[in-house]
Amino acid sequence: MKRFYDVVPKKKSAKRAQPQDVQGENFFWGKETEIAQEKSPSFFESKRFKTAFHRSALVLILLVSLLAFSYAKAVLAQNEIEKLNSNVKDELEAILNSVERGDLKGAIVSSEQLKWSVSEIKLKLQSLGQDSGYFSLIAPSDSKFANIERMYDAVNLTMEAMAEIQNISGNSLSLETEGNKDYLFDGSRVADTLNLNLEKAGSKLEKASKLLSSIKPEAIGQKLEDIENARNSLEKMRSNLEELRNFSKTGLGWLFEKSSERKILIIFQNNAELRGGSGGSLGSFGVAKISDGKITDIDFGKNIYKLDHEFEVKENIKPPEDLSWVVSDSSWTLKDSGWAVDGLEAMKKIEWFYEKESGEEVDGVFIVDTTAVVNLMDITGSIELKVYDKVITKENFRSEIEQEVHKDYFTSANNLVENEPKKIISEMMPIFLNKLMGSLGDRDKIFNLISILQRNMAEKEILIYMENDDFQRYLSRKNLSGEVDQNKSSYIYINNSNIDGLKSSLSIDESIKIKSEITSDGIVINKLNLRREHKGINLWPDGTNRNLVRMLLPNGANITNFEMVSGDFEQYRDDGYKDEKPYWITEEAGRSELRFWMTTEPGEISEVNIEYTADVLQSNGDEVLLPLIFQKQPGANADKVEYELTFPENWTPTNIANFDSQSRTIKFSFILDKDKRFLIKFSKPHL
């Protein structure tokens, strides 16, 4: 059989027609070629074919190599981007969680980290250049990239919102005191700036939320639940900012209203001597004067004791019955006016007494205890008092002030006549407050200051009351006035008052253990153990802690047992027990109140076991609810709390993951550094 290339073509004088390209040149070789009449090499053996084949093979190899390289590059970039995506998700969650906790500084730090991760992702995508098209080999869905783009647009908008919040600091909060001695702080400008920046931040968060709602989770490998949680967090963050913006317009707008005058009473109290709902023994005070939206002066006047003495000469106010046997004075005055367990009521009474004794009306009360002052000295640093030859630091603040007020001051005969032992506080506080205000123009300090203020307000080292209704509603809603919670719940609030117990309150470690049992008929039986350990030494200004306990319980609580384990429970100043019992029951602030003395010596432990029943369960459709509320006393150390609940057979907790189904118990513990609220849900038993 003849092979294709053995066939000899017939001789022709004419040229053989060749396939032409669009330019009239040979399709294979590029030029016209005359076929030789004699026997010639086959098409596949020709030199030109071999050259063309080599060229084509080389091009094909290059194309395949380029494709493989681009594919590998795309896969590598995708892996790196996925890692960064994970970082972005974690950092975005950290921002939202920080904002939800009120940790603005933490949110800003997470925002800076988020910016870096997003920038890295952009660089990775840009580095691919034309190769980004090869992502279609990995994820061919066109919608994936549209959804990724929406996600990063939402992230960028969130970062821009955080930047707007960050911009509130700096120039907007600068005091601008250089060359201007007419005022200390321009509150009106701060309120306006706060309102503007919060409005911008809220608008960006609203857009980010809408973008998240348009994302298809399956297109970017996310769960619908995760996207919804992120969107809900953004909405909550936006809602909080909107609430803060409304506060800046109404609350701060009222306080720093232009063409108006305001006066705020500032009380400095010593929580080493706990007392009532205000949180401590009232000491020095000042009055902040606000004119035309600016703080123009903070006047630190007489000490409270001197003001009280001048008032008692003119008028005698009989103390309420529950206070008359606690204080030795026959007249009720400003120093004991914060006695009510409810912080708001205590501050209203403080304001009333101040106005009565001074003849000066004020528009609100701002209470700061020594713990808050010490914490804020992280911002101010040390304070030099040249007249006293002292440098006050956060480490020696309490000891130096106590030494001067109670001992050193009275070594001078002139001071005995003057009788202003707390003058050192009045002279220190203007320097302290000026340093605090000066930090508002320092970006490095502003968020530390905000964080410290937020923590101390949440932990009730700072309390605020304002006469403006809108302002006060906001403060009450944010739990910034120390009010007693009125919601039906399994409730506990222990209020301690140090009566002639020197400065021993901060030396006490208090712990609470509660074992509760829900009976089949829906009554909750509680066994409470209260333990107070005196960690101090019997050295002035510390000493025996003579303490009156006022324990607020659920309405209608029935005391079934009161067992004194250790310590002194006899009432102070009178031998024996009041009404021949170590405790007595009354009502205060809308709650049942159990009162008893519990005196503890340095190095000793006082302990009591109390049993009581309460009707606190609530029904919600097919569920039974047990709300738990633990409130912290203003100014007090944080209690250690252990809680154990036993529930009936056939009851199943529906919102608690960790419980013992065999013993039917739920256990948890926490530090009561601020008010804590819990809700335990049970499926309703089928009878």
Side-chain angles (χ1 to χ4, degrees):
M1 179 180 293
K2 291 185 178 180
R3 291 170 295 182
F4 174 78
Y5 50 80
D6 289 333
V7 177
V8 179
K10 295 180 180 179
K11 293 182 180 179
K12 289 185 179 180
S13 58
K15 294 181 179 178
R16 183 179 179 180
Q18 299 291 334
Q20 301 293 312
D21 65 6
V22 293
Q23 296 176 336
E25 295 183 335
N26 182 276
F27 182 77
F28 291 105
W29 321 127
K31 291 183 180 180
E32 289 185 352
T33 303
E34 184 175 345
I35 305 293
Q37 293 184 7
E38 66 272 14
K39 182 178 180 180
S40 60
S42 72
F43 169 73
F44 292 104
E45 289 180 329
S46 67
K47 182 177 180 181
R48 289 179 176 176
F49 168 79
K50 292 178 180 179
T51 301
F53 177 80
H54 291 157
R55 287 177 179 173
S56 300
L58 181 60
V59 170
L60 182 61
I61 291 171
L62 288 173
L63 285 173
V64 171
S65 299
L66 179 61
L67 179 62
F69 173 75
S70 298
Y71 181 86
K73 188 176 179 182
V75 170
L76 180 62
Q78 186 194 37
N79 291 336
E80 292 178 352
I81 288 172
E82 284 179 353
K83 291 179 182 178
L84 290 168
N85 274 339
S86 178
N87 292 342
V88 166
K89 181 181 177 182
D90 292 343
E91 287 150 8
L92 184 58
E93 287 179 355
I95 290 174
L96 299 175
N97 290 336
S98 294
V99 171
E100 190 167 341
R101 292 194 308 270
D103 180 9
L104 186 56
K105 182 182 178 183
I108 295 297
V109 171
S110 297
S111 177
E112 293 297 327
Q113 294 171 342
L114 181 61
K115 286 181 184 178
W116 182 88
S117 296
V118 172
S119 298
E120 285 295 302
I121 289 174
K122 289 180 179 178
L123 288 174
K124 295 295 180 186
L125 290 172
Q126 290 170 0
S127 69
L128 289 174
Q130 296 297 324
D131 299 325
S132 61
Y134 291 107
F135 271 121
S136 61
L137 297 171
I138 303 169
S141 172
D142 292 336
S143 64
K144 176 172 184 176
F145 301 104
N147 281 277
I148 288 176
E149 185 178 14
R150 292 189 197 109
M151 184 181 73
Y152 282 112
D153 284 345
V155 170
N156 280 322
L157 283 167
T158 303
M159 289 192 298
E160 289 174 10
M162 296 306 300
E164 292 292 348
I165 296 172
Q166 192 171 9
N167 286 338
I168 294 171
S169 65
N171 293 333
S172 63
L173 294 179
S174 174
L175 291 179
E176 297 181 342
T177 53
E178 292 186 12
N180 189 341
K181 303 300 182 182
D182 294 334
Y183 62 89
L184 300 174
F185 180 68
D186 189 344
S188 177
R189 183 166 63 86
V190 169
D192 290 343
T193 303
L194 185 65
N195 180 46
L196 178 62
N197 284 87
L198 289 175
E199 183 179 16
K200 290 180 179 179
S203 176
K204 293 179 186 298
L205 289 176
E206 184 178 15
K207 292 178 182 177
S209 178
K210 288 180 179 178
L211 282 171
L212 285 180
S213 64
S214 68
I215 290 175
K216 296 178 179 178
E218 65 277 6
I220 57 174
Q222 296 291 329
K223 296 179 181 178
L224 176 62
E225 181 183 2
D226 292 338
I227 298 295
E228 282 298 311
N229 287 340
R231 195 177 72 82
N232 290 338
S233 295
L234 281 180
E235 281 298 311
K236 186 173 183 179
M237 180 178 173
R238 187 178 70 84
S239 176
N240 288 338
L241 292 181
E242 182 63 23
E243 185 178 33
L244 183 58
R245 178 170 170 255
N246 289 334
F247 164 69
S248 73
K249 292 171 65 178
T250 57
L252 295 182
W254 166 80
L255 184 62
F256 296 110
E257 184 180 5
K258 292 184 177 180
S259 303
S260 66
E261 304 288 330
R262 302 276 185 259
K263 291 181 181 179
I264 305 300
L265 176 63
I266 303 173
I267 295 286
F268 297 97
Q269 64 181 12
N270 190 350
N271 55 326
E273 190 177 350
L274 281 176
R275 192 72 61 82
S278 67
S281 173
L282 308 189
S284 297
F285 65 89
V287 177
K289 298 179 180 179
I290 304 170
S291 178
D292 197 29
K294 301 178 179 68
I295 298 177
T296 57
D297 185 33
I298 300 178
D299 179 27
F300 291 89
K302 303 173 183 178
N303 70 65
I304 284 178
Y305 297 97
K306 196 167 185 177
L307 194 65
D308 283 350
H309 179 69
E310 293 175 354
F311 176 70
E312 284 179 303
V313 174
K314 298 179 293 184
E315 189 170 348
N316 185 293
I317 297 178
K318 186 178 179 181
E321 183 180 355
D322 67 330
L323 184 59
S324 61
W325 54 270
V326 175
V327 297
S328 58
D329 301 336
S330 59
S331 178
W332 193 15
T333 57
L334 180 59
K335 70 180 178 64
D336 293 315
S337 59
W339 177 252
V341 293
D342 184 276
L344 180 57
E345 289 304 312
M347 286 189 286
K348 286 181 177 180
K349 189 60 71 174
I350 289 171
E351 181 188 66
W352 185 88
F353 267 103
Y354 175 78
E355 292 180 344
K356 190 82 171 173
E357 295 187 13
S358 68
E360 179 181 39
E361 291 188 359
V362 293
D363 300 288
V365 179
F366 189 90
I367 293 180
V368 183
D369 67 24
T370 57
T371 297
V373 172
V374 169
N375 290 336
L376 287 167
M377 289 188 78
D378 282 337
I379 303 296
T380 65
S382 60
I383 295 174
E384 184 178 6
L385 299 175
K386 294 181 179 179
V387 175
Y388 298 90
D389 193 26
K390 294 179 184 292
V391 176
I392 306 299
T393 66
K394 65 176 298 181
E395 290 77 19
N396 69 12
F397 170 76
R398 288 191 177 97
S399 60
E400 289 287 355
I401 296 299
E402 292 292 350
Q403 180 69 29
E404 173 64 25
V405 168
H406 294 284
K407 291 193 173 183
D408 292 352
Y409 179 84
F410 294 104
T411 59
S412 167
N414 291 333
N415 288 346
L416 290 173
V417 176
E418 181 188 53
N419 193 26
E420 289 280 358
K422 295 189 177 182
K423 185 168 65 174
I424 185 173
I425 302 176
S426 298
E427 294 181 356
M428 173 186 164
M429 283 303 135
I431 303 173
F432 171 77
L433 292 174
N434 282 336
K435 282 194 168 188
L436 274 186
M437 290 182 179
S439 69
L440 295 178
D442 187 333
R443 285 182 179 269
D444 293 332
K445 290 183 177 180
I446 178 62
F447 289 110
N448 283 334
L449 174 60
I450 292 174
S451 178
I452 292 172
L453 287 173
Q454 285 179 326
R455 187 180 77 248
N456 282 269
M457 287 190 288
E459 296 177 0
K460 300 184 184 179
E461 313 296 352
I462 296 173
L463 296 179
I464 308 172
Y465 158 64
M466 292 291 160
E467 287 198 343
N468 178 268
D469 291 340
D470 290 333
F471 202 153
Q472 185 53 49
R473 272 193 292 270
Y474 177 85
L475 296 173
S476 296
R477 192 164 57 249
K478 293 299 182 181
N479 196 27
L480 300 179
S481 298
E483 293 165 87
V484 171
D485 194 298
Q486 298 297 321
N487 291 302
K488 182 179 180 181
S489 61
S490 185
Y491 177 88
I492 182 75
Y493 169 30
I494 296 176
N495 185 285
N496 295 296
S497 289
N498 179 343
I499 309 298
D500 288 348
L502 298 176
K503 312 302 177 185
S504 58
S505 294
L506 295 180
S507 297
I508 300 295
D509 273 3
E510 186 171 87
S511 62
I512 306 168
K513 293 181 181 179
I514 302 177
K515 291 187 176 182
S516 298
E517 179 184 358
I518 302 175
T519 64
S520 57
D521 56 357
I523 298 298
V524 180
I525 301 173
N526 303 279
K527 296 180 179 180
L528 184 149
N529 172 268
L530 176 63
R531 185 178 187 272
R532 291 171 58 83
E533 182 177 0
H534 198 319
K535 291 292 189 69
I537 57 177
N538 199 11
L539 182 65
W540 184 92
D542 206 345
T544 300
N545 181 252
R546 296 185 179 90
N547 186 66
L548 176 68
V549 178
R550 287 183 283 174
M551 182 183 294
L552 297 189
L553 299 171
N555 296 344
N558 180 34
I559 307 300
T560 57
N561 187 45
F562 188 94
E563 178 190 0
M564 298 172 287
V565 179
S566 61
D568 182 2
F569 292 83
E570 292 191 10
Q571 62 180 347
Y572 181 50
R573 292 201 182 97
D574 291 328
D575 294 334
Y577 302 126
K578 180 178 173 64
D579 299 329
E580 299 182 352
K581 289 195 303 184
Y583 69 91
W584 61 104
I585 301 171
T586 183
E587 291 185 359
E588 186 175 359
R591 294 285 184 182
S592 294
E593 183 178 81
L594 176 67
R595 294 187 180 185
F596 53 94
W597 286 92
M598 198 171 185
T599 298
T600 312
E601 298 291 340
E604 300 293 329
I605 295 173
S606 294
E607 189 172 354
V608 62
N609 292 323
I610 302 167
E611 295 183 21
Y612 61 96
T613 60
D615 180 11
V616 294
L617 294 180
Q618 300 177 23
S619 180
N620 181 30
D622 292 332
E623 290 183 317
V624 176
L625 310 180
L626 175 61
L628 301 170
I629 299 177
F630 300 82
Q631 288 203 274
K632 175 186 180 288
Q633 179 183 6
N637 286 336
D639 290 349
K640 304 176 187 69
V641 181
E642 295 180 18
Y643 184 81
E644 179 179 323
L645 174 67
T646 302
F647 50 89
E649 292 185 18
N650 301 322
W651 287 42
T652 304
T654 59
N655 66 333
I656 303 292
N658 299 319
F659 65 91
D660 190 330
S661 59
Q662 296 296 320
S663 62
R664 306 188 312 280
T665 57
I666 298 169
K667 297 180 181 180
F668 58 89
S669 60
F670 57 90
I671 300 298
L672 189 61
D673 54 352
K674 55 186 176 183
D675 291 357
K676 299 291 176 74
R677 293 169 173 82
F678 307 93
L679 179 63
I680 302 176
K681 299 180 180 181
F682 297 94
S683 60
K684 201 167 187 178
H686 297 285
L687 302 177

